Amino acid sequence: MPSSTDVSATGPGRHPVDEKLPALKMATSGLQHVAAMYAGVVAPPLIVGAAVGLTATELTFLTGACLFTAGLATFLQTLGIWKIGARLPFVNGVTFAGVAPMIAVVNSTDDKRDALPVIFGAVIVAGLLGFLAAPFFSKAVRFFPPVVTGTVITLIGISLMPVAFGWAQGPDPAAHDYGSTTNLGLAGATLLIVLLLRRFTRGFVKQIAVLLGLVAGTLVAIPFGVTDFAPVADVAVVGFPTPFHFGAPQFQLAAIVSLCVVMVVSMTESTADMLALGEIVGRPADEKTIAAGLRADTLGSAVSPLFNGFMCSAFAQNIGLVAMTRIRSRYVVATGGGFLVLMGLCPMAASLIAVVPRPVLGGAGVVLFGSVAASGIQTLVKAGLEKDNNVLIVAVSLAVGIIPITAPEFYHAFPETAKIILDSGISTGCVAAVALNLVFNHLGGSRECDEVTAPMEPGPGTASAPGAGPVAAR
């Protein structure tokens, strides 16, 4: 573990986090951060844009806008202004946590053209409220232990998996080749390529395995006639994400509440990421740093919709990249933010992702979204599941969270405004996890002595029914 007393090569007394590397190394290291996060940044606008029914040109615009706003948010986080920004090598981009609630907003909107303005209005309000709450949230983080954050992150991955499965079948459910062996074969081939790259490569190539898988999968798809290069030919080389391109923000209460829940989830993730990153770079994140980092997250989110972007949050995969490369300079990550801005100002660069066939995206999405769920499971491992209180919290919260996936019509009798929130398993699962954690682990004291070795075994002092015993694993 790096020591907080480390000194950079640029001069005595300067921490490695504040080190400015030579230009070439700064550029290549910054590009590596972009490569590690690129697939994660473009996935949310692809998912939401497809749900809205955007054309290829509009989808390219939305993707470029998200790249542009991710760069701005990264600037805020790494360079900082006033009390805004953790000033750590912290990459920001569009958060996966908002995808399912945004799709719920789309599905509940009669005119799909109004869906994006409604989403943008909700993100603006959630961002501003989060900015005001940042200093208080940094004190209340004890209410979001690993048992809560792990459950929510797991739900994020689970909620996104149906999107990957839908992509694997093809772009149009009404098309004759939807779910064909060709489409599923391309998805499987892409998944196999990503797995092989992750297994047999190392270093930089291993980090960008998903990106390389998308490229290879697209090349494999060309002979099958499912790769369309028209999006690249139809866009300009240089452009700017025109403010409010999809219409002025609209403010609907149900959408705002749903995105505010997502903001709480996002702030919780960012807090955990800042704590982890602070240890990795040898500059532990204190309460002041966390508050400044949360201000950057939330302000970046509030500004993002002005340029047609979505809610921003920390990218955990880049924290792993910092740990692997041991390059701890925040200016390297700021350089990566500069590349994101440039890509957002170059529609042709943003359009490249629109060329990737939907089945290829589906194959890569299995890894991408599955990794999110796996990250949540890793967090749950640290949650103390030997305690039956925590087992119940996870069990019930996961059950509540997967209702919209396993039983899509479960809330059909509820008002449309309520369904925007209820149809987001992430939102309902998060609320359930926080509430249950308060009831079992805070109010009236927690029962720390109640431990189990398996969820179905009775705890100490609990009488079992005659003839009953531990349930055998199935």
Side-chain angles (χ1 to χ4, degrees):
M1 184 70 67
S3 169
S4 59
T5 59
D6 287 346
V7 177
S8 78
T10 58
R14 176 172 292 182
H15 194 282
V17 167
D18 300 317
E19 179 183 0
K20 294 182 180 179
L21 304 180
L24 181 59
K25 189 172 184 180
M26 191 92 77
T28 54
S29 299
L31 277 173
Q32 187 171 231
H33 275 284
V34 173
M37 72 177 295
Y38 184 82
V41 173
V42 300
L46 283 174
I47 299 170
V48 178
V52 173
L54 298 183
T55 64
T57 302
E58 291 173 328
L59 200 56
T60 295
F61 182 93
L62 186 64
T63 302
C66 287
L67 289 168
F68 178 77
T69 53
L72 295 182
T74 300
F75 281 154
L76 269 179
Q77 196 66 266
T78 54
L79 302 180
I81 54 172
W82 185 57
K83 296 181 179 181
I84 301 170
R87 292 169 175 82
L88 291 171
F90 210 44
V91 178
N92 274 46
V94 182
T95 175
F96 274 113
V99 173
M102 289 191 290
I103 291 179
V105 172
V106 173
N107 293 337
S108 67
T109 306
D110 295 330
D111 187 348
K112 301 301 181 189
R113 291 174 297 181
D114 291 334
L116 285 176
V118 170
I119 290 170
F120 291 148
V123 172
I124 290 173
V125 174
L128 293 176
L129 291 177
F131 183 85
L132 295 175
F136 306 101
F137 190 89
S138 62
K139 301 177 186 294
V141 71
R142 67 190 182 92
F143 295 113
F144 298 89
V147 70
V148 173
T149 56
T151 300
V152 174
I153 296 170
T154 302
L155 280 172
I156 292 171
I158 293 173
S159 297
L160 292 174
M161 289 307 297
V163 174
F165 301 148
W167 282 352
Q169 297 178 81
D172 184 5
H176 71 279
D177 64 343
Y178 187 75
S180 66
T181 54
T182 297
N183 287 346
L184 296 181
L186 288 172
T190 304
L191 174 59
L192 180 61
I193 291 169
V194 174
L195 292 176
L196 290 174
L197 288 170
R198 290 290 299 179
R199 174 63 181 86
F200 294 107
T201 62
R202 60 180 60 187
F204 179 54
V205 174
K206 186 174 183 178
Q207 284 292 326
I208 61 172
V210 172
L211 188 60
L212 293 177
L214 290 174
V215 173
T218 301
L219 295 176
V220 171
I222 292 176
F224 296 94
V226 295
T227 305
D228 182 12
F229 291 96
V232 177
D234 295 339
V235 299
V237 176
V238 179
F240 184 80
T242 314
F244 304 129
H245 178 82
F246 296 99
Q250 298 180 25
F251 302 95
Q252 293 185 6
L253 181 60
I256 290 172
V257 171
S258 183
L259 269 297
C260 281
V261 172
V262 174
M263 179 57 74
V264 172
V265 175
S266 176
M267 293 170 74
T268 304
E269 287 185 69
S270 289
T271 299
D273 288 339
M274 275 185 272
L275 292 171
L277 183 60
E279 291 299 319
I280 290 170
V281 301
R283 181 181 281 178
D286 56 16
E287 187 178 303
K288 181 179 177 181
T289 300
I290 292 173
L294 293 177
R295 288 191 188 99
D297 266 8
T298 53
L299 182 60
S301 296
V303 172
S304 186
L306 304 181
F307 299 101
N308 313 283
F310 298 137
M311 188 178 293
C312 295
S313 182
F315 267 54
Q317 59 264 48
N318 292 85
I319 295 176
L321 189 58
V322 171
M324 184 190 73
T325 62
R326 297 185 181 276
I327 297 175
R328 292 171 269 167
S329 171
R330 59 191 173 103
Y331 295 104
V332 165
V333 174
T335 302
F339 283 121
L340 288 171
V341 169
L342 290 176
M343 293 171 70
L345 296 176
C346 179
M348 183 170 288
S351 70
L352 291 175
I353 194 65
V355 173
V356 181
R358 206 59 63 83
V360 172
L361 281 171
V366 171
V367 176
L368 197 63
F369 305 152
S371 296
V372 177
S375 177
I377 294 171
Q378 287 177 325
T379 303
L380 285 175
V381 169
K382 309 171 186 175
L385 294 186
E386 72 279 359
K387 300 179 178 65
D388 67 345
N389 284 356
N390 289 345
V391 170
L392 286 173
I393 293 169
V394 174
V396 175
S397 300
L398 286 177
V400 170
I402 65 174
I403 286 174
I405 302 171
T406 57
E409 300 300 319
F410 190 82
Y411 299 113
H412 74 277
F414 284 72
E416 288 299 319
T417 51
K419 286 166 66 177
I420 292 178
I421 301 171
L422 296 174
D423 282 342
S424 167
I426 297 170
S427 298
T428 54
C430 177
V431 171
V434 172
L436 289 172
N437 181 59
L438 285 172
V439 171
F440 281 96
N441 291 333
H442 289 275
L443 299 180
S446 62
R447 295 161 57 219
E448 296 294 340
C449 62
D450 288 353
E451 297 186 354
V452 294
T453 55
M456 296 301 294
E457 289 184 5
T462 303
S464 58
V471 177
R474 293 179 174 85

